[in-house]
Amino acid sequence: MKNENMTLENEIKEAVVAAETVTEEKPAKKTRKKTVKAEGETAEAPKKRASKKTEKVEKAEAEEAEAAPAPKKTRKTAAKKAAAKVNLYVQYAGKEILTEELVEKAKAVYVAAGNQESDIQTMDVYVKPEDNAAYFAVNGIGADEFKVEL
């Protein structure tokens, strides 16, 4: 009887080792190994069940895929309101100047002074009708030469 118990225990150990080798091999490969029983019969090795963590992860991924809304297909339409173009004029003493033109002239004066237009981060323009001029500062720095005649 002890002999039978020993061989049975050995068979169980072999089955456990065989099951472990199946799971240690490439997980994508689904092959089953067969073990031989004491009487010469063949039977499939017990298949090791996926761990609970793996099952939970797969279940969570499946739930996320179902819960995530499908990306909406949007189409840009002309119905969106574009910002209205505003023309701002300064009128004084019978003269009129468009502020955009004034800014372009100020940039031209800045570049003519030996600077690069790409250096401009901020530009402040001050219109002084009594001097018939506009003064400007670039990046917070002003100079006597930063002047545009109106």
Side-chain angles (χ1 to χ4, degrees):
M1 184 107 181
K2 287 183 182 179
N3 236 357
E4 286 179 27
N5 286 341
M6 292 298 286
T7 56
L8 188 58
E9 287 177 10
N10 286 340
E11 287 178 334
I12 292 172
K13 286 180 184 178
E14 287 176 6
V16 169
V17 170
E20 288 175 353
T21 57
V22 167
T23 57
E24 288 177 2
E25 289 181 7
K26 297 178 184 176
K29 195 175 183 181
K30 294 187 178 184
T31 58
R32 294 184 181 181
K33 290 191 173 187
K34 294 185 178 184
T35 58
V36 178
K37 288 188 174 183
E39 298 171 7
E41 298 175 2
T42 60
E44 292 183 7
K47 186 177 179 183
K48 188 173 182 181
R49 187 174 177 202
S51 68
K52 289 182 181 180
K53 287 183 181 179
T54 306
E55 290 176 356
K56 287 181 181 179
V57 169
E58 289 174 355
K59 186 176 180 181
E61 287 175 352
E63 287 175 359
E64 284 180 18
E66 290 175 6
K72 294 181 179 180
K73 293 181 181 179
T74 58
R75 183 172 52 166
K76 294 183 180 181
T77 62
K80 290 185 179 180
K81 291 185 179 181
K85 182 172 177 7
V86 176
N87 293 321
L88 180 63
Y89 293 92
V90 176
Q91 293 181 335
Y92 68 96
K95 296 181 180 181
E96 178 179 274
I97 187 163
L98 182 62
T99 55
E100 290 175 356
E101 291 174 3
L102 189 60
V103 171
E104 290 303 315
K105 287 180 182 179
K107 286 180 182 179
V109 169
Y110 182 74
V111 171
N115 300 299
Q116 294 182 351
E117 189 174 339
S118 61
D119 293 339
I120 300 173
Q121 294 176 356
T122 61
M123 179 180 275
D124 301 317
V125 180
Y126 304 92
V127 178
K128 277 187 90 176
E130 64 268 14
D131 291 349
N132 197 31
Y135 300 93
F136 63 95
V138 176
N139 301 331
I141 301 171
D144 292 337
E145 60 200 35
F146 293 171
K147 177 181 176 181
V148 178
E149 293 292 327
L150 302 176

